[in-house]
Amino acid sequence: LTTTRYLKRMGSTLRRTDLLSLSNLRNDGRKSHEIRRIRTQIGTVAEHCGGSAVVEMGLTTVLATVRGPIECTRRSDELSDRAIIDVQVKTAPFAPSGDRRMANPTSDRRLIEQSHQLKRTMEAAVLLHLYAKSKIEITVWVLADDGGRLPAAINATTLALVDAGIPLKDIVCACSAGISSEGGTLVDLNRREESSFGGQPAVYLPCAMLPQRGTVVLSQCESRLGSLKQLELVLDAAMDGCLAVAQHLQAAIREHSASLLVARSGQASVQYSFAMPTTSC
Amino acid sequence: TMSKFAASYISIRDDSGSSSLSLNEKNFLRQGALSLNSSRILRTDGRSPGEIRKLKLDLSRSHNAAECTVQLGETRISAGIVGHLQPPVSEDRPNEGIVSITVDSNPMASSSFGMMPPLTTTPGNVDRPHFMSTVDDSQKLLGNRILRFLERSILLGGTLDTEALCVEAGAWVWKLSLSVRILDHGGNLLDAALLASMATLRHYRKPNVELVKEGGMPILIHSDAEDPSPLPLNHTPLSVSFALIHADDVALSTSSSMTVGALVDPTEREELVQTGSVSLAMNAHSEVCLLDFGGGCELEPTQLKQCWNLAEKCILKLCEQLEDSLKEADEKAQHERLYRLQKQHQHPNLPPLPETLTPKVPFWHEENEMEIDTNHSIANTSQELQDAEIKAKDREQEEYKAKALEYNLGHVTAKVKETDESKSKENVGQSNLLAAMLKSVQKIPPPENKSDNIKAMDVEAALDRPKADKVSNLQVKESDTPGKSENQKPTVGLKSTEDSDEEVPTSLKSEFAAEVTKTCPATNDEDCVENLASAIKKKKKKKSSKTKKRP
């Protein structure tokens, strides 16, 4: 049943959701393996911090600032052979996430958990042994939450670390994946898809990887899946999403460094010799 | 946030923190895990990398509460659950019950822990006590991590549906308080905590609720009177954690070696050396419930999938062990309930109790719900048991009739006849009268029969020894039933003593013992309870109907 014939039959009382379901699109018009639009700004808060970045994935906006490497305030925290990473994830008061009312934003256990996960993720990527007895402080502000808070935070943190000039093994890119009600895999879920609607509990798997090394650094899932095979499928889809995000992040970094070169050298424009990455997934 | 570290005392130096792990120990553990010097992976306790430690589960249950203590190697965790009735939390969710999880990590568990109030899912008071400053951040993180792990697998992972905890929509719902206490920190707290919580949830029985019409608090019917029901769990996820130890140390992080050692169920020392960890929760049908790969270490996807396959095998074994322990504990709980009912019937003259177990005050908490205190439960059950007996009486009427007509049970009835000839009383077949007689005998013997009573006892004692062989069968039967030992003495000299009123209760008991062994073949405890309750009254009925039947 083609679209035109369906339209003729339905007349003018056609809903957007009908159109979407006809063409197998999701509720925001994306295909099942399409990630949301990513916009980045590197170096937003330039004066006080070592590095900062804002990342928008669709409508989710996250700001990350990095300070360091600095001396540890508490001597008992410092490690003799490497640096420690201290992460704090905060949500802005004007950015509530759904109907979850947080009693105390500083001690909300979900935020503490996400801070901890972010810290462990970054520990796998940062070359900590270069800065013994120091601390790298990362603060993440969630300014708008439309699903995918943790992946957006990881992406923003990576860019902020690059801006601060801290050496990394590889950039960390993150994306989420899940299973739709029809059974196919979806990439980069928004808030509506993350929460369970229609009685069907959603499958939501955020995943972070190091793209050039091809290794996974973080993957979490708390939904009930049929079997390990399904889990592997979702993980593969998430990794594809991460690779797509990686291309965007790399393009953003190159652009930013090009503009810094321009500012330093005073030229109007800079011809850079390395190839431009493609933006398609 | 940087909290000010105000040390007002010198803390005892702890030997189990990561900062006190010596470099030699670290290298030793790492080399063993990465099999650098040998052909296979070596662990300090001799396990293979895919082996879980020895598991011991200790389950117990009482009215409206259940408890489980898990010992996984050196780690010991105890979980307890208590149920309360309360109005639903919010108006837009009138059907949902509440599950509140609390995790308690305190210095009892490990010398590296400081005093910390338990972390809980239901929001408590906002202001933190001042002694939180002495607590290590890692302990707060660990407590939070366990709490989130449990919350995710139990609430978010679809194990327990909160809508099933509704009693009356919009008015009363169940609130289950699950509290997990870490008793010993020997590594792998996540798995042990989830195992203890799931065992407790499975073992707990929700008491039946009687709704009150005028909107007061519903009455909880005691578990001994009416059979409570288990919680409607969708599935039972259990988890397995791996410690990942990366080959390239931090100092050599530019190397491209991707060897990662994965150890199942890490001990505390292995946890201190690990670079990262993976946890996977699945149920017995190989359905994945929760995946937690928290970073710290980078893994190739193939390695991750290998870990999962290994985890699946371990979890299936764990599930089997859990099921066996649960079945055993369930049987034990039924036996205990039976025992309590027996005890109850030996001491029926207890002071009358209030009708309801809880007063009609909302949110009233019962303090001592966690212990299996037989005296306490007897006091509470007498009222409900009498109700149960009245119900059981009708059943035992039919049962007795069926039994009396069965001729292969003739030897039992013959015995009854033998002892009955001494009592050719025209005792009316009203069990109430007999119950009163029972009570009167047990309380105060009437003064005019006192001498007779004493004489009867003396005669019995004197006849004890010569009659020993004759009544050996009877004695053997009595020793079979639990808690009947006190009846052996007075029932021994039964057959040949002269009849008197005072021997009526004692003879009743001996026959009762024989009856119970006949009617309770000890496999079906459900009927046993009713049989027991009925058998006690049956004697009086049988005796009376026997006297009626005899010409």
Side-chain angles (χ1 to χ4, degrees):
Chain A
L1 196 64
T2 64
T3 316
T4 44
R5 248 186 266 164
Y6 185 78
L7 277 171
K8 279 192 188 142
R9 196 188 279 191
M10 292 298 287
S12 59
T13 59
L14 188 67
R15 291 178 302 183
R16 182 168 167 268
T17 47
D18 295 337
L19 260 183
L20 289 175
S21 60
L22 270 182
S23 26
N24 285 332
L25 295 177
R26 289 143 79 174
N27 69 338
D28 51 1
R30 287 186 284 155
K31 294 209 199 79
S32 58
H33 272 257
E34 207 178 312
I35 60 171
R36 293 178 284 185
R37 182 181 71 159
I38 298 185
R39 290 209 305 191
T40 59
Q41 275 179 355
I42 307 183
T44 45
V45 189
E47 304 92 46
H48 305 288
C49 309
S52 61
V54 173
V55 164
E56 285 176 49
M57 288 177 74
L59 292 174
T60 307
T61 313
V62 171
L63 161 72
T65 59
V66 168
R67 239 176 65 163
I70 54 174
E71 195 185 322
C72 290
T73 26
R74 272 193 292 190
R75 294 291 294 275
S76 54
D77 274 348
E78 64 185 32
L79 296 173
S80 56
D81 57 344
R82 67 183 82 175
I84 61 166
I85 298 182
D86 198 17
V87 177
Q88 225 192 358
V89 177
K90 301 184 195 179
T91 47
F94 48 83
S97 50
D99 53 358
R100 238 175 15 209
R101 272 171 241 114
M102 283 185 216
N104 188 0
T106 53
S107 63
D108 182 50
R109 56 181 184 281
R110 288 178 205 95
L111 289 179
I112 293 178
E113 190 194 21
Q114 288 188 339
S115 314
H116 183 60
Q117 287 168 351
L118 191 59
K119 174 179 132 120
R120 305 281 280 153
T121 312
M122 287 306 139
E123 276 177 4
V126 176
L127 300 177
L128 293 169
H129 66 284
L130 295 175
Y131 303 107
K133 300 187 184 178
S134 326
K135 174 164 80 162
I136 298 172
E137 214 180 271
I138 303 175
T139 312
V140 175
W141 282 93
V142 177
L143 302 172
D145 184 7
D146 186 38
R149 200 161 62 175
L150 186 61
I154 294 174
N155 294 331
T157 312
T158 308
L159 293 180
L161 284 170
V162 166
D163 190 35
I166 293 175
L168 298 171
K169 261 190 240 177
D170 192 357
I171 60 167
V172 186
C173 47
C175 187
S176 59
I179 295 186
S180 69
S181 43
E182 284 90 41
T185 50
L186 299 174
V187 170
D188 199 7
L189 307 178
N190 57 19
R191 199 208 302 176
R192 180 124 186 274
E193 291 159 350
E194 246 180 63
S195 60
S196 46
F197 58 96
Q200 189 67 268
V203 175
Y204 171 62
L205 192 145
C207 162
M209 62 183 291
L210 307 179
Q212 287 167 8
R213 294 165 74 103
T215 55
V216 176
V217 187
L218 171 112
S219 63
Q220 308 264 335
C221 179
E222 51 246 20
S223 334
R224 198 166 151 197
L225 287 166
S227 64
L228 273 182
K229 292 279 176 303
Q230 270 197 327
L231 187 63
E232 288 175 16
L233 279 177
V234 179
L235 185 68
D236 288 337
M239 285 171 60
D240 288 339
C242 290
L243 290 173
V245 171
Q247 289 183 344
H248 283 273
L249 292 185
Q250 281 172 353
I253 293 171
R254 288 197 178 102
E255 212 179 296
H256 178 67
S257 50
S259 64
L260 282 180
L261 272 177
V262 165
R264 180 189 284 197
S265 65
Q267 294 175 16
S269 69
V270 169
Q271 302 282 349
Y272 40 86
S273 55
F274 42 86
M276 285 285 290
T278 54
T279 50
S280 62
C281 306
Chain B
T1 54
M2 250 57 73
S3 54
K4 299 278 180 287
F5 184 75
S8 56
Y9 63 95
I10 309 290
S11 55
I12 303 168
R13 181 200 138 139
D14 72 274
D15 291 325
S16 53
S18 63
S19 54
S20 62
L21 201 60
S22 70
L23 287 175
N24 285 344
E25 205 175 352
K26 227 184 251 193
N27 286 334
F28 179 68
L29 287 167
R30 285 176 51 86
Q31 281 172 12
L34 296 166
S35 64
L36 290 176
N37 294 337
S38 67
S39 58
R40 58 193 183 88
I41 293 183
L42 298 171
R43 297 171 83 165
T44 48
D45 50 4
R47 285 187 283 156
S48 71
E51 201 184 316
I52 307 181
R53 288 176 286 185
K54 185 158 154 274
L55 173 67
K56 190 165 105 70
L57 277 169
D58 195 16
L59 290 153
S60 65
R61 181 204 304 176
S62 65
H63 167 62
N64 202 15
E67 203 207 353
C68 170
T69 306
V70 162
Q71 181 153 11
L72 186 65
E74 295 266 293
T75 303
R76 201 190 295 230
I77 288 192
S78 141
I81 187 167
V82 174
H84 298 289
L85 280 175
Q86 67 169 55
V89 168
S90 64
E91 275 175 9
D92 40 316
R93 295 206 187 121
N95 288 336
E96 285 189 13
I98 304 159
V99 179
S100 148
I101 307 178
T102 311
V103 171
D104 190 7
S105 63
N106 49 32
M108 169 168 63
S110 158
S111 55
S112 66
F113 284 177
M115 257 318 283
M116 191 172 87
L119 299 169
T120 174
T121 55
T122 48
N125 48 351
V126 182
D127 37 45
R128 291 284 187 74
H130 64 280
F131 54 75
M132 284 289 277
S133 62
T134 59
V135 173
D136 204 9
D137 270 343
S138 62
Q139 183 187 350
K140 287 185 216 166
L141 269 175
L142 180 64
N144 197 61
R145 191 153 174 238
I146 298 176
L147 184 63
R148 281 293 296 166
F149 193 72
L150 289 175
E151 194 186 7
R152 279 157 69 193
S153 41
I154 294 176
L155 292 177
L156 302 174
T159 306
L160 179 62
D161 198 7
T162 46
E163 296 211 352
L165 297 176
C166 176
V167 172
E168 199 184 315
W172 297 103
V173 296
W174 277 105
K175 175 183 173 194
L176 297 176
S177 307
L178 174 69
S179 77
V180 174
R181 281 164 234 107
I182 308 176
L183 302 175
D184 277 326
H185 178 24
N188 200 10
L189 292 173
L190 288 176
D191 286 353
L194 185 62
L195 183 59
S197 312
M198 291 314 304
T200 310
L201 282 170
R202 285 281 299 268
H203 197 56
Y204 171 68
R205 297 287 181 262
K206 205 168 37 141
N208 293 324
V209 175
E210 203 181 292
L211 293 172
V212 168
K213 283 178 269 299
E214 61 270 4
M217 190 157 160
I219 307 171
L220 291 175
I221 303 177
H222 198 276
S223 308
D224 281 346
E226 246 184 66
D227 252 348
S229 53
L231 285 174
L233 295 176
N234 295 333
H235 65 134
T236 314
L238 294 181
S239 76
V240 150
S241 300
F242 292 79
L244 301 166
I245 299 181
H246 207 102
D248 59 346
D249 202 358
V250 169
L252 315 155
S253 58
T254 50
S255 80
S256 54
S257 143
M258 277 306 298
T259 322
V260 177
L263 308 172
V264 170
D265 190 16
T267 62
E268 206 200 339
R269 294 276 145 181
E270 286 164 356
E271 266 187 2
L272 293 173
V273 190
Q274 73 184 9
T275 338
S277 79
V278 186
S279 303
L280 185 71
M282 290 166 70
N283 63 8
H285 309 288
S286 295
E287 286 176 354
V288 176
C289 172
L290 177 129
L291 163 69
D292 186 84
F293 173 31
C297 163
E298 43 173 355
L299 271 188
E300 273 170 19
T302 45
Q303 289 173 327
L304 190 58
K305 289 169 189 172
Q306 269 176 8
C307 282
W308 291 346
N309 290 331
L310 181 57
E312 192 180 358
K313 292 194 204 109
C314 294
I315 287 176
L316 290 177
K317 269 190 242 158
L318 262 184
C319 282
E320 265 179 50
Q321 268 191 297
L322 176 66
E323 295 296 328
D324 289 340
S325 305
L326 276 174
K327 216 188 302 184
E328 221 181 281
D330 196 28
E331 281 173 19
K332 185 173 153 228
Q334 300 279 8
H335 275 296
E336 278 176 359
R337 186 178 163 209
L338 182 61
Y339 181 66
R340 280 205 295 273
L341 288 177
Q342 286 176 358
K343 281 290 204 197
Q344 164 57 29
H345 278 286
Q346 290 167 25
H347 313 283
N349 50 336
L350 285 170
L353 292 162
E355 251 179 51
T356 59
L357 291 175
T358 60
K360 286 189 171 66
V361 174
F363 310 124
W364 186 73
H365 294 282
E366 287 189 41
E367 296 307 317
N368 50 351
E369 276 182 310
M370 288 304 291
E371 337 155 47
I372 292 183
D373 189 344
T374 47
N375 294 332
H376 174 73
S377 52
I378 283 175
N380 281 341
T381 54
S382 68
Q383 186 63 37
E384 280 77 16
L385 271 179
Q386 284 173 18
D387 299 338
E389 283 164 24
I390 292 168
K391 278 181 229 157
K393 244 174 246 164
D394 302 331
R395 231 176 308 162
E396 45 112 327
Q397 285 265 21
E398 275 91 18
E399 269 177 46
Y400 175 67
K401 279 179 194 152
K403 255 187 81 158
L405 294 173
E406 273 188 78
Y407 289 104
N408 14 343
L409 293 180
H411 59 285
V412 171
T413 53
K415 197 169 290 171
V416 169
K417 215 193 288 180
E418 216 179 317
T419 56
D420 265 350
E421 49 189 16
S422 60
K423 308 164 229 101
S424 50
K425 298 255 146 232
E426 288 311 312
N427 275 331
V428 198
Q430 289 299 325
S431 52
N432 290 338
L433 178 57
L434 283 166
M437 287 175 67
L438 247 183
K439 280 187 186 155
S440 67
V441 166
Q442 284 176 356
K443 272 189 216 158
I444 306 157
E448 60 271 15
N449 287 337
K450 204 172 192 176
S451 53
D452 288 349
N453 204 356
I454 296 172
K455 198 180 72 176
M457 292 303 171
D458 285 342
V459 170
E460 282 169 15
L463 291 168
D464 190 0
R465 276 164 242 108
K467 301 295 172 198
D469 50 353
K470 215 183 203 179
V471 298
S472 60
N473 280 343
L474 193 58
Q475 273 181 347
V476 162
K477 283 215 186 82
E478 285 174 346
S479 63
D480 279 345
T481 34
K484 286 285 169 286
S485 53
E486 68 264 22
N487 294 335
Q488 282 180 2
K489 204 83 188 296
T491 56
V492 162
L494 204 5
K495 296 205 166 54
S496 57
T497 49
E498 53 281 341
D499 49 334
S500 60
D501 279 339
E502 287 72 32
E503 282 175 338
V504 169
T506 56
S507 64
L508 274 177
K509 282 189 183 135
S510 72
E511 290 155 21
F512 158 64
E515 261 305 309
V516 163
T517 52
K518 288 276 179 304
T519 58
C520 285
T523 51
N524 197 350
D525 283 350
E526 286 299 312
D527 300 341
C528 222
V529 171
E530 273 71 37
N531 275 343
L532 184 58
S534 64
I536 294 166
K537 294 296 181 221
K538 191 184 297 208
K539 289 307 142 216
K540 305 170 191 155
K541 270 234 176 278
K542 184 183 286 188
K543 213 185 66 53
S544 57
S545 45
K546 268 290 172 199
T547 54
K548 268 190 227 163
K549 274 188 181 169
R550 227 176 279 128

